[in-house]
């Protein structure tokens, strides 16, 4: 009996081992990809008394991405160049997130990533096509924001849900939604006032290549430090001894924005236009080191701003040479007397799929200047891998 039992146990163990060998293993990490790009630039600016021309490394980024346990997509991206103005903004993390993508209609993303505001903000900077993002996106979507927030490349830390709904007969989704909750402080910063930014958008795609959408954003900009006390007319209040009365603590400034967007991108053509409106004051001094404690409000800049752009990128030689033009308007106080307008024309030439040479001429009209009209020339050599 002992021999029979031993033989039975041995057979069972052998069968179990064989079954384990034939069972497919769960891949924890898969599809890992390393990528990046280098954007070099020459730019001439003919602004009166501030004329300049210089070579510049506009951007160098490196990214690692892949899948985790099949249903999760993850990405980590670093910007490895600092700026060339004051040698600040040292190499830093720009993306670090994971997204659960099991269901097309309901995905959850958490970490640091692009704010879900406007069509242009999440676009790849090379394929965006011009010497920079439009002025309204740069000032009102968290690049070089009017609130005084540190430069954040349109990103923040938070959680977002998004999805695609309602398929047509061809299997194409007709509706997309996205909404997220964020700190409101930009990249690599914890929340200061414990209020959160809520940002969302929705768009429809009635025909292939066409998107028509609307976006909303409500939240705050906050800073901890000291500020001058002012009255209802924004005049500085003084103590009995004549000194300026100050206050210390956390100062939170409300921020409300909306955008309307339309884009057609098909058959090698791109036509896009977006309007953004912002309500809310900003701080007088911009954050550069991230440790500033000046909480004074820039009342002179007003609490309203808006901007509009319309662009077209048209194929001359398909997949190789493109002509481009953009009308780009920004009004920092939502008044025509403060408007800055760029009229741009140029071309992009692709060498294969990884190298692009771009050139453009811009005529600038900045009504805040004594001599509002001047010229800009921009030439770029961009490589992605």
């Amino acid at each position: 009996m002992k021999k029979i039992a031993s033989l039975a146990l041995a057979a069972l163990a052998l069968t179990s081992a064989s079954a384990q060998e034939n069972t497919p293993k769960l891949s924890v990490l898969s599809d890992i990809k390393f990528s990046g790009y280098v954007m070099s630039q020459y730019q001439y600016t003919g602004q009166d008394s501030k004329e300049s021309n210089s070579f510049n490394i506009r951007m160098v980024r490196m990214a690692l991405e892949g899948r985790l346990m099949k249903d999760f997509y993850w990405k980590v991206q670093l910007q490895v160049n600092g700026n060339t103005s004051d040698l600040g903004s040292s190499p830093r993390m720009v993306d670090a997130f994971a997204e659960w993508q099991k269901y097309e209609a309901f995905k959850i993303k958490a970490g640091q990533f692009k704010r879900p505001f406007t069509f242009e903000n999440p676009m790849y900077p090379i394929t965006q096509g011009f010497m920079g993002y439009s002025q309204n996106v740069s000032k009102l979507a968290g690049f070089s924001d009017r609130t005084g927030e540190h430069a954040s490349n349109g990103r923040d830390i938070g959680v977002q849900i998004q999805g695609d709904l309602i398929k047509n007969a061809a299997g194409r989704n007709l509706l997309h939604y996205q909404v997220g909750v964020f700190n409101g402080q930009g990249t690599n910063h914890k929340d200061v006032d414990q209020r959160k930014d809520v940002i969302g958008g929705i768009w429809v795609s009635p025909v292939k290549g066409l998107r028509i959408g609307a976006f909303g954003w409500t939240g705050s900009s906050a800073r901890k430090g000291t500020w001058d006390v002012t009255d209802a007319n924004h005049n500085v209040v003084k103590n009995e001894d004549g000194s300026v009365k100050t206050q210390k603590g956390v100062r939170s400034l409300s921020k409300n924005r909306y955008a309307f967007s339309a884009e057609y991108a098909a058959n090698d053509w791109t036509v896009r236009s977006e309007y953004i409106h912002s309500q809310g004051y900003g701080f007088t001094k911009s954050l550069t080191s991230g440790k500033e404690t000046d909480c004074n409000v820039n009342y002179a800049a007003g609490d309203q701003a808006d901007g509009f752009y319309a662009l077209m990128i048209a194929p001359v030689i398909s997949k190789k040479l493109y002509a481009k033009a953009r009308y780009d308007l920004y009004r920092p106080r939502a008044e025509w007397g403060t408007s800055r307008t760029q009229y741009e024309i140029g071309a992009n030439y692709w060498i294969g799929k990884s190298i692009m040479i771009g050139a453009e001429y811009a005529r600038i009209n900045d009504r805040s200047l004594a001599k509002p009209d001047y010229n800009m020339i921009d030439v770029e050599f961009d490589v992605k891998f």
Side-chain angles (χ1 to χ4, degrees), residues 123-179:
M123 288 183 176
Y124 196 71
I126 295 179
T127 53
Q128 185 271 340
F130 287 81
M131 62 179 169
Y133 290 86
S134 58
Q135 295 179 90
N136 60 353
V137 171
S138 295
K139 294 295 185 182
L140 305 177
F143 284 78
S144 179
D145 206 280
R146 79 182 299 269
T147 60
E149 171 190 296
H150 68 102
S152 295
N153 303 107
R155 293 168 167 84
D156 204 347
I157 304 172
V159 179
Q160 174 182 299
I161 62 172
Q162 64 177 339
D164 295 289
L165 305 167
I166 311 176
K167 292 184 181 293
N168 64 6
R172 183 173 57 80
N173 291 302
L174 303 179
L175 177 67
H176 176 87
Y177 74 92
Q178 54 190 33
V179 61

Side-chain angles (χ1 to χ4, degrees), residues 324-341:
K324 61 183 180 181
R326 179 170 67 175
Y327 171 83
D328 183 4
L329 165 71
Y330 177 62
R331 302 193 304 169
R333 291 205 297 265
E335 300 170 353
W336 285 106
T338 65
S339 68
R340 185 181 186 277
T341 309

Side-chain angles (χ1 to χ4, degrees), residues 45-171:
T45 301
Q47 182 179 342
D48 185 52
S49 76
K50 291 186 178 181
E51 185 173 342
S52 68
N53 73 93
S54 180
F55 293 101
N56 179 46
I57 300 299
R58 178 181 163 190
M59 203 174 296
V60 180
R61 287 186 178 168
M62 297 182 182
L64 198 64
E65 59 189 301
R67 302 204 72 82
L68 175 65
M69 298 178 66
K70 187 180 178 180
D71 292 332
F72 288 86
Y73 167 75
W74 60 270
K75 183 176 182 179
V76 176
Q77 182 172 211
L78 302 177
Q79 183 159 321
V80 298
N81 68 305
N83 69 62
T84 52
S85 299
D86 56 14
L87 303 183
S89 301
S90 60
R92 62 198 181 277
M93 179 178 67
V94 291
D95 286 302
F97 66 85
E99 183 175 47
W100 183 60
Q101 299 181 334
K102 186 172 184 178
Y103 301 107
E104 187 178 27
F106 183 78
K107 301 175 183 179
I108 305 175
K109 182 188 292 187
Q112 180 169 287
F113 50 90
K114 285 281 192 175
R115 289 163 163 143
F117 191 71
T118 76
F119 286 160
E120 186 167 278
N121 180 27
M123 288 183 176
Y124 196 71
I126 295 179
T127 53
Q128 185 271 340
F130 287 81
M131 62 179 169
Y133 290 86
S134 58
Q135 295 179 90
N136 60 353
V137 171
S138 295
K139 294 295 185 182
L140 305 177
F143 284 78
S144 179
D145 206 280
R146 79 182 299 269
T147 60
E149 171 190 296
H150 68 102
S152 295
N153 303 107
R155 293 168 167 84
D156 204 347
I157 304 172
V159 179
Q160 174 182 299
I161 62 172
Q162 64 177 339
D164 295 289
L165 305 167
I166 311 176
K167 292 184 181 293
N168 64 6

Side-chain angles (χ1 to χ4, degrees), residues 126-345:
I126 295 179
T127 53
Q128 185 271 340
F130 287 81
M131 62 179 169
Y133 290 86
S134 58
Q135 295 179 90
N136 60 353
V137 171
S138 295
K139 294 295 185 182
L140 305 177
F143 284 78
S144 179
D145 206 280
R146 79 182 299 269
T147 60
E149 171 190 296
H150 68 102
S152 295
N153 303 107
R155 293 168 167 84
D156 204 347
I157 304 172
V159 179
Q160 174 182 299
I161 62 172
Q162 64 177 339
D164 295 289
L165 305 167
I166 311 176
K167 292 184 181 293
N168 64 6
R172 183 173 57 80
N173 291 302
L174 303 179
L175 177 67
H176 176 87
Y177 74 92
Q178 54 190 33
V179 61
V181 180
F182 302 86
N183 280 341
Q185 296 299 121
T187 53
N188 307 316
H189 279 62
K190 291 182 178 180
D191 204 348
V192 174
D193 60 356
Q194 309 313 310
R195 294 173 60 184
K196 298 295 182 283
D197 284 14
V198 179
I199 309 172
I202 187 170
W203 63 78
V204 295
S205 301
V207 298
K208 185 178 180 180
L210 177 64
R211 297 189 293 170
I212 302 172
F215 300 83
W217 180 346
T218 184
S220 64
S221 296
R223 197 174 293 183
K224 186 176 182 180
T226 306
W227 63 94
D228 298 338
V229 176
T230 57
D231 59 23
N233 296 317
H234 309 315
N235 298 311
V236 173
V237 175
K238 294 187 177 182
N239 295 308
E240 292 182 358
D241 61 2
S243 62
V244 175
K245 187 175 183 179
T246 61
Q247 189 171 338
K248 182 182 293 186
V250 173
R251 195 170 199 186
S252 183
L253 306 178
S254 295
K255 175 173 52 183
N256 298 288
R257 293 171 178 176
Y258 62 83
F260 297 110
S261 309
E263 179 188 58
Y264 176 77
N267 303 315
D268 222 16
W269 285 75
T270 299
V271 180
R272 185 171 65 256
S273 181
E274 298 189 276
Y275 171 80
I276 307 174
H277 182 272
S278 174
Q279 180 273 323
Y281 288 104
F283 291 104
T284 301
K285 293 185 178 180
S286 296
L287 285 175
T288 53
S289 70
K291 299 178 181 179
E292 285 81 357
T293 58
D294 187 334
C295 299
N296 286 299
V297 175
N298 188 3
Y299 291 114
D303 70 337
Q304 304 282 333
D306 66 2
F308 168 83
Y309 75 86
L311 64 80
M312 180 178 66
I313 303 175
V316 178
I317 302 175
S318 182
K319 309 299 182 183
K320 187 174 288 291
L321 179 62
Y322 296 84
K324 61 183 180 181
R326 179 170 67 175
Y327 171 83
D328 183 4
L329 165 71
Y330 177 62
R331 302 193 304 169
R333 291 205 297 265
E335 300 170 353
W336 285 106
T338 65
S339 68
R340 185 181 186 277
T341 309
Q342 296 185 182
Y343 305 88
E344 304 168 52
I345 57 171

